[in-house]
């Protein structure tokens, strides 16, 4: 755990990644609604200080918009909200972009909460585990699908056991055990839903172990599957980002099949 604390009650974690693109291209991806929605969650952003930011996650958090408190393109973007829920402490998320040589940028996200006790530190630890995995998807998006818009499907399941046990079961269900980066991969779900492509990378040493694939069928895209635990049961999630002309149809057609697939294995 690497939570930083200061006397004001601010607690924060940070994650960073080097990604391809100019500062303007990276800014488009991390600070605009269409950009964020192409690698994270569908998002609305009123692009100004004082504007609202709303993630569309399908949870109660959708009804708690954040407020943009810094807007300095293409360098710094900050918003404040209630990321720990309506009864949680105030939170802030700050993004910065630093240009690097070779047409690349360093992206840093600092996630903070403001509390007088450590009661919410476990929530911050979960953000610390999740952001590096999200930044991998951002990097893959900027590398292979920059400026394209995503059609997203997600499937959720649960597991009685530890994160490590859920992760082992998830890799087996995905038929991804023993694969190396670049190896071909296929997976079929209920009905006609299927995915084909190649393993991109695996991040196993984490509170939120995640495997990433590049898909070619039914549409070009990114698939990520992870396990984590924020309640009594572990959670497993399959997220798929499709791009290109066939993306909307593929996401709409296959969403139900993948949810049935994951529920059959992680009820």
């Amino acid at each position: 755990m690497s939570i930083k604390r200061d006397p004001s009650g601010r607690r924060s974690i940070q994650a960073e990644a080097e990604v391809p693109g100019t500062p303007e291209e990276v800014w488009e991806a991390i600070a605009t609604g269409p950009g964020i929605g192409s690698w994270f969650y569908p998002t609305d952003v009123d692009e100004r200080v004082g504007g609202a930011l709303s993630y569309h996650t399908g949870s109660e958090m959708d009804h708690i918009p954040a407020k943009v408190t810094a807007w300095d393109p293409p360098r710094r973007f900050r918003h404040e909200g209630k990321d720990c829920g309506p009864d949680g402490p105030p939170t802030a998320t700050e993004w910065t972009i630093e240009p690097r040589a070779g047409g690349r940028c360093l992206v840093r996200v600092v996630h903070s909460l403001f509390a007088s006790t450590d009661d919410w530190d476990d929530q911050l630890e979960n953000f610390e585990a999740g952001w590096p995995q999200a930044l991998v998807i951002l990097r893959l998006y900027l590398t292979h699908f920059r400026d394209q818009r995503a059609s997203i499907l997600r499937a959720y399941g649960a597991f009685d056991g530890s994160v490590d046990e859920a992760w082992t079961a998830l890799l087996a269900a995905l038929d991804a055990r023993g694969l190396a980066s670049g190896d071909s991969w296929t997976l079929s779900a209920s009905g006609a839903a299927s995915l084909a492509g190649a393993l991109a990378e695996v991040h196993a040493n984490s509170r939120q172990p995640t495997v990433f694939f590049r898909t070619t069928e039914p549409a070009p895209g990114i698939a990520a599957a992870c396990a984590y635990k924020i309640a009594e049961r572990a959670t497993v999630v399959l997220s798929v980002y499709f791009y290109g002309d066939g993306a909307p149809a593929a996401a709409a057609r296959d969403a139900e099949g993948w949810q049935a697939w994951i529920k059959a294995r992680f009820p």
Side-chain angles (χ1 to χ4, degrees):
M1 182 177 68
S2 55
I3 294 177
K4 296 181 179 179
R5 299 172 175 84
D6 64 36
S8 70
R10 176 177 179 262
R11 291 161 157 78
S12 65
I13 57 91
Q14 74 172 40
E16 61 184 35
E18 191 170 283
V19 300
T22 65
E24 291 77 13
E25 289 169 331
V26 177
W27 177 267
E28 168 70 21
I30 69 166
T32 72
I36 299 168
S38 292
W39 62 274
F40 194 48
Y41 285 98
T43 305
D44 295 320
V45 182
D46 186 0
E47 301 176 9
R48 61 181 178 86
V49 172
L53 179 147
S54 297
Y55 294 123
H56 302 292
T57 66
S59 73
E60 65 174 0
M61 297 303 293
D62 291 6
H63 306 292
I64 311 175
K67 181 180 180 180
V68 177
T69 55
W71 183 264
D72 181 21
R75 291 173 288 274
R76 179 172 172 261
F77 170 49
R78 186 177 188 269
H79 52 87
E80 298 178 3
K82 285 277 194 173
D83 295 334
C84 297
D87 299 323
T91 59
T93 307
E94 181 170 337
W95 294 86
T96 55
I97 300 170
E98 299 176 8
R100 292 288 189 264
R104 302 181 70 81
C105 288
L106 181 71
V107 174
R108 179 179 297 111
V109 56
V110 178
H111 208 134
S112 305
L113 62 80
F114 303 85
S116 58
T117 70
D118 60 4
D119 293 347
W120 297 91
D121 283 6
D122 60 337
Q123 297 269 22
L124 203 53
E125 290 175 19
N126 288 326
F127 289 126
E128 183 179 35
W131 276 122
Q133 317 299 16
L135 291 176
V136 172
I137 300 175
L138 171 64
R139 172 168 51 79
L140 291 171
Y141 164 69
L142 286 168
T143 301
H144 303 288
F145 304 107
R146 188 184 310 166
D147 296 330
Q148 298 186 47
R149 299 303 169 226
S151 295
I152 306 170
L153 68 84
R154 281 190 172 86
Y156 294 86
F159 184 85
D160 290 317
S162 68
V163 170
D164 285 345
E165 291 168 333
W167 171 241
T168 299
L170 180 59
L171 283 182
L174 292 167
D175 198 20
R177 292 177 298 182
L179 293 182
S181 179
D183 284 352
S184 297
W185 171 78
T186 60
L187 189 68
S188 297
S190 301
S194 64
L195 293 169
L199 179 74
E201 51 195 273
V202 179
H203 291 219
N205 298 320
S206 168
R207 285 168 58 102
Q208 186 175 310
T210 308
V211 58
F212 304 89
F213 302 93
R214 286 273 313 283
T215 67
T216 53
E217 297 293 339
I222 302 163
C226 69
Y228 61 87
K229 196 166 188 177
I230 58 175
E232 184 175 347
R233 303 185 75 199
T235 298
V236 296
V237 185
L238 173 66
S239 302
V240 186
Y241 303 78
F242 289 131
Y243 304 92
D245 293 341
R253 181 189 65 237
D254 294 350
E256 185 176 336
W258 285 113
Q259 186 59 61
W261 177 88
I262 209 165
K263 280 296 186 182
R265 292 155 180 82
F266 302 96

